[in-house]
Amino acid sequence: MTWREGFIAVDWGTTNRRAYAIEPDGQVSNEMEDDLGILSVAPGGFEALVDELRVRLGNRPMLLAGMVGSNRGWREAPYVPAPATLDGLLQGLWWSDDRRCAIVPGVSYVSGDDADVMRGEEVQLFGAAEAGMIPRDGLVCHPGTHAKWAWMRGGAIEGFRTIMTGEMFNLLRQHSILSDALKTDANLGDAFEAGVDHGLHHDDLLAELFSTRARHLLGRDGHGDRASYVSGLLIGQDVRLGLRCAAENSAVAVLGKPELTRLYATAIRRAGRGATESEGEAAFVAGARLIAERLG
Amino acid sequence: MTWREGFIAVDWGTTNRRAYAIEPDGQVSNEMEDDLGILSVAPGGFEALVDELRVRLGNRPMLLAGMVGSNRGWREAPYVPAPATLDGLLQGLWWSDDRRCAIVPGVSYVSGDDADVMRGEEVQLFGAAEAGMIPRDGLVCHPGTHAKWAWMRGGAIEGFRTIMTGEMFNLLRQHSILSDALKTDANLGDAFEAGVDHGLHHDDLLAELFSTRARHLLGRDGHGDRASYVSGLLIGQDVRLGLRCAAENSAVAVLGKPELTRLYATAIRRAGRGATESEGEAAFVAGARLIAERLG
């Protein structure tokens, strides 16, 4: 079976994976998601899991992206340096011996002392740009465990910056002195917006985090919903740093999970910039199709 | 036995406790430390632990400070609002029915939207000021899990700010994607100073933390010792925020554990300010004596 006759695309991250069976017409005919991220796979265990994916989704060629191509994953596919194009990704694919599995390389960015890496988001970025979901030039925000702010030029990834906002929220929620207050989900509203405004206009994150606890202990918790306030605070500082990545003032394309793009788009608008939202999952499928078409 | 005939002072924190037998001449005749912080004590378990401390350190009156006086501790001793004096602390003591145990209240600070709390550091601050270890006027830095920057005036705690730097380092070391790199201890040296300089002059903490990982993955890890760099980065941002707490340019008195005061004093000097170091344990004993003398 060739790639054009249908394939499987896998977004295999650190803590979970999503796989899609994609038909010749580009439609997703079947999909699955589980928590078998690369950290849950023992060394030498990837081949069996790939076989099992084919039992579930069809005996087809398979395109894999994300941390599965890192030094902790199945095989390391070395980073393609930015500015990175789709051609660069194609040249950097790692191929299994039977040529029925290809792993997409990540992208690296170096500028002076700045250095950054991504794995997985590049498929979404190229897919979204090609499908017209985001502009081929401009600033893209991809929220998540490690939020990425990428600036695109002519459809290429010119550079990007990572801000570990999602991981920080999880650390605070699971292990910190604030954890009791963060058990609920963050929601749009006054508390979230107050947190965003603080994060946008102040650079005192590790002090303000403690202040949320002190205000609560002293009965001065005017913002009410602390989880939403802290989420807003973290996203506000993220947007403050991210907007510095590009000089122009055009709208920011926010690409990712809808529950996150909604929060980020709100924060970006409070910073006085326009924001559009696109779904990361659709962008991933579009990007995987784009690559598969070039594989023949 | 009265307080003047000798007593026990306990600094009982969240995760550990230190207790001292203090003689009438002020000397410490015996001491102990263990990890029975308040989070390790079941409700109703404090009385038995107090009895056991007396078996080990003598059947004496006992002064307790720190989180033992919080709503998660033995009994809540409500915060004394700043500006806080030694007299204020004495009036706020919680007494056991047999008057043989006293718990020192914490101090709160409210100014506009800012709110903050401390428990335990206040004994060190008053003790250090009274004993001449720190000036009675000026800025004091107390590094730790929750670093405190207090501004003293005439020996009173006029206000203070908490920055959760130590807790953040522990979260990153124990649970984050950076944990592999942070298993070693932080040391003074080039890597630490490079981190401090970044933290002093940039406000991009959650981006720079990820950059340390990216530089490592890309073989551009010029600073070498990442644990020291990250420690410096966190302490640098702490000092950047802390120095804003007081307008004057006099030397900062750094009070705490020697392994931490050394790092903070180095960072404060790199920010162009003078710094002196004093030992927090000696300050705690001095503060406990000061209180006990007033109890007769």
Side-chain angles (χ1 to χ4, degrees), chain A residues 67 71-72 79 108-110 112-117 146 148 161-165 167-168 171-172 175-178 180 203-211 213-215 217-218 220 234 237 240-241 244, chain B residues 67 71-72 79 108-110 112-117 146 148 161-165 167-168 171-172 175-178 180 203-211 213-215 217-218 220 234 237 240-241 244:
Chain A
M67 292 299 282
N71 57 5
R72 297 186 192 178
Y79 296 105
S108 63
Y109 172 65
V110 173
D113 275 347
D114 291 340
D116 223 320
V117 291
H146 298 150
K148 308 285 181 191
R161 190 161 205 214
T162 304
I163 306 171
M164 45 192 284
T165 301
E167 178 166 359
M168 187 56 55
L171 289 174
L172 292 169
H175 303 290
S176 82
I177 195 167
L178 305 179
D180 283 352
D203 62 355
D204 60 354
L205 179 65
L206 296 193
E208 181 61 14
L209 283 170
F210 190 84
S211 282
R213 174 174 155 78
R215 282 196 292 267
L217 287 171
L218 298 174
R220 300 176 64 89
L234 285 165
Q237 64 83 38
R240 179 169 54 81
L241 300 179
R244 292 182 193 161
Chain B
M67 292 298 283
N71 58 3
R72 297 186 192 179
Y79 295 104
S108 63
Y109 172 65
V110 173
D113 274 348
D114 291 339
D116 222 320
V117 291
H146 298 149
K148 307 286 180 189
R161 190 161 204 213
T162 302
I163 307 172
M164 45 191 284
T165 300
E167 178 166 358
M168 188 55 56
L171 289 174
L172 293 169
H175 304 290
S176 84
I177 195 168
L178 304 180
D180 282 351
D203 62 354
D204 60 355
L205 179 66
L206 296 193
E208 180 61 13
L209 283 170
F210 190 84
S211 282
R213 174 174 156 79
R215 281 196 294 267
L217 288 170
L218 299 175
R220 300 176 64 88
L234 286 165
Q237 65 83 36
R240 178 169 54 80
L241 300 179
R244 291 182 193 159

Side-chain angles (χ1 to χ4, degrees), chain B residues 15-259:
Chain B
T15 57
N16 56 38
R17 59 176 185 168
R18 284 182 299 281
Y20 310 85
I22 300 179
E23 301 307 312
D25 64 359
Q27 295 302 303
V28 174
S29 57
N30 201 353
E31 58 184 280
M32 56 138 306
E33 177 170 3
D34 62 24
D35 59 0
L36 278 178
I38 63 157
L39 295 184
S40 307
V41 182
F46 283 95
E47 283 83 352
L49 289 173
V50 163
D51 289 346
E52 188 216 15
L53 281 174
R54 288 208 173 98
V55 170
R56 294 170 67 164
L57 297 176
N59 188 10
R60 303 164 173 224
M62 192 179 298
L63 186 70
L64 303 104
M67 292 298 283
V68 69
S70 73
N71 58 3
R72 297 186 192 179
W74 182 15
R75 283 291 185 283
E76 186 168 0
Y79 295 104
V80 172
T85 60
L86 185 67
D87 281 339
L89 282 199
L90 287 162
Q91 286 161 24
L93 289 173
W94 173 86
W95 286 94
S96 63
D97 288 341
D98 62 6
R99 303 278 296 178
R100 299 197 69 226
C101 282
I103 297 180
V104 181
V107 178
S108 63
Y109 172 65
V110 173
S111 170
D113 274 348
D114 291 339
D116 222 320
V117 291
M118 66 165 63
R119 279 198 189 274
E121 294 89 351
E122 67 291 334
V123 175
Q124 295 190 29
L125 288 168
F126 288 124
E130 185 69 19
M133 298 166 65
I134 64 172
R136 293 170 59 83
D137 295 271
L139 186 59
V140 185
C141 168
H142 189 288
T145 304
H146 298 149
K148 307 286 180 189
W149 291 77
W151 44 105
M152 308 285 290
R153 195 157 310 276
I157 301 171
E158 194 169 63
F160 59 94
R161 190 161 204 213
T162 302
I163 307 172
M164 45 191 284
T165 300
E167 178 166 358
M168 188 55 56
F169 190 73
N170 291 334
L171 289 174
L172 293 169
R173 165 178 275 179
Q174 290 167 21
H175 304 290
S176 84
I177 195 168
L178 304 180
S179 59
D180 282 351
L182 302 182
K183 293 302 181 198
T184 57
D185 283 333
N187 292 300
L188 290 175
D190 289 349
F192 178 79
E193 292 181 2
V196 166
D197 289 350
H198 192 103
L200 284 177
H201 301 296
H202 299 83
D203 62 354
D204 60 355
L205 179 66
L206 296 193
E208 180 61 13
L209 283 170
F210 190 84
S211 282
T212 66
R213 174 174 156 79
R215 281 196 294 267
H216 181 69
L217 288 170
L218 299 175
R220 300 176 64 88
D221 209 352
H223 305 305
D225 173 1
R226 287 170 69 197
S228 296
Y229 183 83
V230 169
S231 169
L233 177 64
L234 286 165
I235 291 175
Q237 65 83 36
D238 188 323
V239 169
R240 178 169 54 80
L241 300 179
L243 289 179
R244 291 182 193 159
C245 290
E248 67 254 45
N249 279 315
S250 53
V252 178
V254 189
L255 177 67
K257 295 181 183 174
E259 64 269 27

